[in-house]
Amino acid sequence: MSTKVVSHLIEKLPGGVGDKEPPTDVIVNIIAVLNNLVVESPIAARDIVYFNGLQKLFYIKKKRDR
């Protein structure tokens, strides 16, 4: 199940300055779901990396720190 869900969740996250950004509570919930998937399955962690999720998570973190 995680393989099918991760790609859809990652595509909802902003990854750059020009990207459409969902509300903060949506981003928080997406990250929480990704966290739960990773806790349950190492395959979910692999999929996050495969679908460029780390890049998007780093972007969100850098934006928050400003």
Side-chain angles (χ1 to χ4, degrees), residues 3-62:
T3 303
K4 295 178 182 180
V5 174
V6 169
S7 65
H8 295 292
L9 292 172
I10 294 294
E11 77 181 29
K12 302 287 184 204
L13 293 174
V17 176
D19 287 355
K20 181 180 176 188
E21 192 165 317
T24 303
D25 59 334
V26 172
I27 293 173
V28 169
N29 284 311
I30 290 172
I31 293 171
V33 170
L34 290 171
N35 181 59
N36 288 335
L37 290 170
V38 168
V39 167
E40 292 299 318
S41 171
I43 293 172
R46 180 202 67 189
D47 289 344
I48 289 171
V49 173
Y50 180 78
F51 292 110
N52 296 322
L54 285 179
Q55 176 187 359
K56 290 186 173 194
L57 292 170
F58 282 127
Y59 170 76
I60 293 166
K61 170 75 169 107
K62 285 170 90 176

